Amino acid sequence: MTTTSPALDPEALTTTTLVHPATAEAQWWRSAVIYQVYPRSFADSDGDGLGDLPGITARLGHLTRLGVDALWLSPFYTSPQRDAGYDVADYRSVDPRFGTLADADALIEKAHRLGLRVIVDLVPNHTSSEHAWFQAALAAAPGSPERARYVFRDGKGPGGEQPPTNWRSVFGGPAWSRVTEADGRPGQWYLHLFDATQPDLNWENDEVRAELESVLRFWLDRGVDGFRVDVAHGLVKDQSFPDWGHRTDMVSGDDEDDAGHDPGPSPYWDQPGVHDIYRRWHQVLAGYDGDRCLVAEAWADTPEKIAAYTRPDEMQQAFNFDYLTTPWDATRLREAITDGLTASDAVGAPCTWVMSNHDVVRASSRLGLPETGKGPNGIGADDPQPDAELGLRRARAAALLMLALPGSAYLYQGEELGLPEHTTLPDEVREDPAFFRTGAAEKGRDGCRVPLPWEADAPAFGFSPTGATWLPQPADWGGFAVDAQKGVPGSTYETYRTALRLRRDFRLGTGSLAWVDGLPDCTAERVLAFTNRELLVLANLGAEAVALRDVEVLHASGPLGGGLDGEVLVPHDTTVWARLRRDDAERD
Ligand code: GLC
């Protein structure tokens, strides 16, 4: 019996290399792992049940221990919180619920001292209806400069009773609401692609452009390293205002078409004019030292259209949500990864990888549903419940696959704990406007926003000193707490930590990917295999275990089996990071 494994005979393998020169350069954001902090739910220092900036500052050590490079903070600005802070009433102040400007400064300063970069959220598509500008617009007359900062139009039909177009809000219902004029009569309509409390700004207006640039400078002057740009593809609207009655799905960007027809191009998403705005912002950032960056949240249709936001004179990154929305299927994931890398390479930008955020069902629940992919907009107690064990197993496998890819990766708080979605929240506690605007047909995003468990045996699992939490935590979350996982080999937390350490040691973020075909039993329908630098990465998405020989295993998303002659058995839904035992193979 020969000890040479045909699996590792280079002649038997074919590789397809995707060169990724864009990551070879020095800027930190090209390969950074960026951790999303959702301020409401990270850590509460004052015990009111809502997280806050001092709570985050006190827990920054968690991020350095985990081994990430940067944090992105979801909005903490003054806001009535009708969309969890994505409804900004004042871009230059901190909501008292979250702290003060001095607290923001202290957070940025401590993060920098710890070697972490800080990205803040910028919401330029809309303000809160409580923003001083919108209040002034309501008080002013049609045609006034105050109204010109937003998208006000007369209605259609006799008396203007019909909305100006049939556009629909992303959260459900119409995208226009009617105001009452000073004389008490029903008047003009204003556009809101999201909640009625989030009026869209008019980006045709120079004052709007100047104001948001000034907001960028305000935070750049305070030392932030960049911005995550909310709904970056929505700012510019087709000024002919044609009808287009489709509802767009968040994150996937899919347009719901009741009749099953191709909806055709949208008059408000991804208009060519948005790119001029980001060319201008690029210049603003270039005036500052230290590699500041912009990352676009743009649900554009194709990887190429998303990559267009990261052309050399625009933003530095754009979220590539394909990895998140692609079903758990080896062939389709390979295609998504190839397409993402190819499109970003073509413009010299790093690709980004995302599995979870505050808008989608958490990966460890999503991947436990019978149908994987983007998932539903929330899960309720009466809905089919995910298979928690399978979901977590797949989420860990997906994480190791993602963290081995070249480019920049985003983690959503709690992902490193394997935290599931809260799938049985009572409707009375829900806050997501999508729940209300769909008449409860969609449960919404609250289930992925539940406060984090830090300590298994403390009130609110250590989230707040009083035990108060703005959303209830499931009673069985003690096992997910950071202190229950720290130092425990094989825990999700330690699995992420090891992955991040190896990613750094092997410089995977700045490497290049070469698909490996021809490993025995590893058909492309079941297994994803690639190399990045010296690392061989194999993800088994099939139902049967696959055997690997002549490898030194460095890391795995779950327990591996052993076979004859030192074979390593990689069970289903498991990813392994290994190094080829080249010396042995050559000797044989
Ligand atoms: C983005 C945010 C989401 C928010 C929406 C409107 O998609 O991620 O949370 O509701 O924009 O601002």
Side-chain angles (χ1 to χ4, degrees), residues 36-45 48-56 71-77 81 84-86 94 97-99 107 119-121 358 412-413 449 451-452 463 470:
Q36 180 187 359
V37 171
Y38 194 65
R40 299 171 71 88
S41 299
F42 191 70
D44 171 21
S45 72
D48 66 354
L50 195 74
D52 47 45
L53 298 186
I56 298 167
L71 62 146
W72 145 37
L73 288 160
S74 279
F76 50 79
Y77 315 110
Q81 302 288 316
Y86 283 92
V94 174
R97 280 172 271 223
F98 295 125
L107 193 167
I119 292 176
V120 295
D121 222 304
H358 64 295
Y412 174 50
Q413 67 178 38
R449 300 174 173 181
L452 286 191
F463 168 72
W470 72 279

Side-chain angles (χ1 to χ4, degrees), residues 519-531:
L519 290 164
D521 299 331
C522 294
T523 60
E525 290 76 45
R526 306 196 310 148
V527 170
L528 287 148
F530 64 86
T531 60

Side-chain angles (χ1 to χ4, degrees), residues 38 72 83 86-87 123 126 171 194 198 228 230-231 250-251 297 299 357-359 445 449:
Y38 194 65
W72 145 37
D83 184 21
Y86 283 92
D87 49 326
V123 188
H126 43 264
F171 291 154
F194 293 88
Q198 293 168 296
R228 176 263 188 192
D230 191 67
V231 197
M250 296 195 81
V251 179
E297 184 214 23
W299 324 317
N357 66 24
H358 64 295
D359 290 330
R445 300 162 291 171
R449 300 174 173 181

Side-chain angles (χ1 to χ4, degrees), residues 58-71:
R59 296 267 192 197
L60 282 177
H62 175 66
L63 274 59
T64 50
R65 274 189 297 277
L66 186 60
V68 300
D69 303 294
L71 62 146

